[in-house]
Amino acid sequence: MTDAAPSTRPANAADAALLQGPVPTPAAAPPNAVPAVPPNPVPPQAQPGAPARLAVALPSQVADQLARIEDKASRIEDKYARSEALLARVEDRVEAAGARMNEAARQADLAALRAEVRALSDRTRRLPGAGALILTAVVTAVLTVVLTLVAQRLNLQSLIPLR
């Protein structure tokens, strides 16, 4: 979220004065008192091209406020991390539920397909087999021959159509 690193922009005298609080005037300061921060602090030499940082002593009230802000920011970051973890768990559960629903739908489709195949199998099982068909053909042929011979013996030529 927020970074607690100090600012990389160079501080100017006005910023330093705000952070340090009121600066005592030379008349109000005791003659042998040493100022806490020199009026124009010189930043330590850093690598060329790197931004210069200014070390500034902060009053205790500002430091306490910054500490409270940092604590609050860390609590917010912790809440954010917990929320992300909770959302990840919810996402995993939703994905698992979706997979189970897809599997259930697939199982329902398979059950419907099984029922259709079972019904078709029952219908084809009731059909006569090859043996029954051959027996029927033989009986039909024999009966046709017998009836034709009976018609000729009884002189029933009128039953047989002429060509």
Side-chain angles (χ1 to χ4, degrees):
M1 298 206 92
T2 59
D3 206 8
S7 173
T8 57
R9 70 178 178 85
N12 58 21
D15 289 341
L18 285 175
L19 290 175
Q20 291 174 0
V23 177
T25 59
N32 58 358
V34 177
V37 176
N40 283 331
V42 177
Q45 292 297 326
Q47 297 177 356
R53 292 186 183 199
L54 180 65
V56 177
L58 300 175
S60 64
Q61 185 180 18
V62 173
D64 290 343
Q65 188 175 9
L66 284 176
R68 284 194 302 271
I69 290 170
E70 287 177 354
D71 289 342
K72 187 174 276 192
S74 68
R75 285 194 302 268
I76 290 171
E77 288 174 353
D78 291 343
K79 285 181 183 180
Y80 179 73
R82 285 193 302 267
S83 298
E84 278 187 337
L86 181 64
L87 284 175
R89 285 197 308 267
V90 167
E91 182 179 342
D92 291 342
R93 285 187 180 180
V94 167
E95 286 178 4
R100 285 195 308 267
M101 292 302 293
N102 285 338
E103 185 64 27
R106 206 172 305 127
Q107 291 297 327
D109 290 345
L110 286 176
L113 183 61
R114 282 189 196 116
E116 289 292 325
V117 168
R118 192 175 305 120
L120 186 61
S121 174
D122 290 343
R123 287 175 60 192
T124 56
R125 195 175 298 131
R126 290 182 291 206
L127 292 175
L133 290 175
I134 292 173
L135 180 64
T136 305
V138 169
V139 169
T140 304
V142 170
L143 280 176
T144 303
V145 169
V146 169
L147 288 175
T148 303
L149 289 176
V150 168
Q152 285 177 352
R153 296 258 179 185
L154 294 175
N155 212 9
L156 299 172
Q157 296 294 328
S158 61
L159 293 177
I160 299 174
L162 296 175
R163 291 191 216 178

